[in-house]
Amino acid sequence: MKKILAIIRPDKLEEVKQALEDIGCNGLTIKEVRGRGIQLGITESYRGHDYKVDLLPKTEIEIVTGEEDLDNIVDTIVKTAQTGDIGDGKIFISPVEEVIRIRTGERGEKAI
């Protein structure tokens, strides 16, 4: 099992959610987060004064899946969230040792 952690632009969330639903990926957790990458934020002007915004709003999506669905989910996120501009986000993939469904006590991939 793998955990996919995707950081995307907030305005791409609905499109990514729909695309994931279309491929049968319904279980996900979404958080509103703030962060920065290589660009170190942006500089904006307001009433003649420049100020630096170094933590930008992003959306974090967490998905736990079996190995067989991993590539399809990652490809779907990349295709849907990509704009080609700096700040599109990143995807991190890590192993998951165990999943336990609290309601039934099921373990492993059955609990996903």
Side-chain angles (χ1 to χ4, degrees):
M1 294 177 290
K2 297 289 185 177
K3 176 178 163 182
I4 301 167
L5 178 71
I7 310 293
I8 64 169
R9 296 173 180 271
D11 60 318
K12 288 294 201 170
L13 176 60
E14 289 305 318
E15 193 177 340
V16 170
K17 255 181 18 181
Q18 185 60 55
L20 289 169
E21 211 173 282
D22 291 347
I23 63 166
C25 177
N26 297 314
L28 49 88
T29 301
I30 297 172
K31 300 177 197 171
E32 293 179 12
V33 296
R34 298 180 78 70
R36 68 179 188 198
I38 295 171
Q39 82 271 19
L40 300 176
I42 57 174
T43 302
E44 292 190 356
S45 293
Y46 180 71
R47 294 188 178 188
H49 296 287
D50 289 342
Y51 63 97
K52 186 168 176 115
V53 179
D54 63 346
L55 295 175
L56 301 172
K58 298 289 179 181
T59 299
E60 180 180 300
I61 302 171
E62 275 185 37
I63 301 168
V64 175
T65 187
E67 297 272 349
E68 65 279 354
D69 296 325
L70 179 66
D71 290 336
N72 193 22
I73 292 171
V74 169
D75 291 345
T76 299
I77 294 170
V78 169
K79 287 176 192 169
T80 311
Q82 188 177 60
T83 68
D85 295 328
I86 291 175
D88 277 351
K90 291 203 171 53
I91 297 175
F92 304 92
I93 301 170
S94 55
V96 172
E97 291 183 30
E98 184 70 272
V99 175
I100 302 163
R101 185 184 313 269
I102 294 172
R103 179 176 54 86
T104 63
E106 291 174 297
R107 292 177 173 260
E109 288 199 32
K110 292 179 190 174
I112 298 177

